[in-house]
Amino acid sequence: NKEYAAAIEYLRDVQEMVDRVKIDGRFVNDKFARLQKQVTGLDDTRRTKVRELLDKVNDASAEGRYDRANRYANDIANLVAKD
């Protein structure tokens, strides 16, 4: 079926784009900057958790563990998105 073939091709294209994303210092720093803008207005509990995760992002980045820093940044994004 044509729709199925088109969907499979689209998924392959998306996977190629994802594979080309380089998670490095710049990627993490850019995400970090976007998240900082969203953190305002959080309740104290989430703000405390965000601060803990921000420390982990900083530590992982300093160690060159950008994959780990990105995961912590994703955790922050999930906390912020709960509004």
Side-chain angles (χ1 to χ4, degrees), residues 1-15:
N1 148 346
K2 289 181 182 180
E3 290 178 6
Y4 179 77
I8 293 297
E9 185 63 28
Y10 176 75
L11 287 174
R12 286 185 185 135
D13 291 346
V14 169
Q15 185 61 51

Side-chain angles (χ1 to χ4, degrees), residues 68-80:
R68 184 175 291 168
N70 186 52
R71 283 194 299 272
Y72 293 135
N74 288 341
D75 291 343
I76 293 169
N78 290 330
L79 279 171
V80 171

Side-chain angles (χ1 to χ4, degrees), residues 31-67:
K31 181 183 273 189
F32 189 74
R34 289 190 306 273
L35 288 171
Q36 284 182 317
K37 293 176 186 175
Q38 297 174 318
V39 171
T40 58
L42 292 179
D43 59 66
D44 289 340
T45 302
R46 284 194 291 167
R47 189 176 308 114
T48 298
K49 183 65 178 166
V50 166
R51 284 186 185 131
E52 292 170 5
L53 289 166
L54 288 174
D55 288 341
K56 290 180 178 186
V57 169
N58 286 331
D59 292 345
S61 292
E63 295 170 1
R65 298 294 312 266
Y66 301 115
D67 57 331

Side-chain angles (χ1 to χ4, degrees), residues 22-33 57 60-62 64-67 69:
K22 184 177 180 184
I23 299 177
D24 57 8
R26 181 179 177 148
F27 179 90
V28 172
N29 287 336
D30 289 349
K31 181 183 273 189
F32 189 74
V57 169
S61 292
R65 298 294 312 266
Y66 301 115
D67 57 331

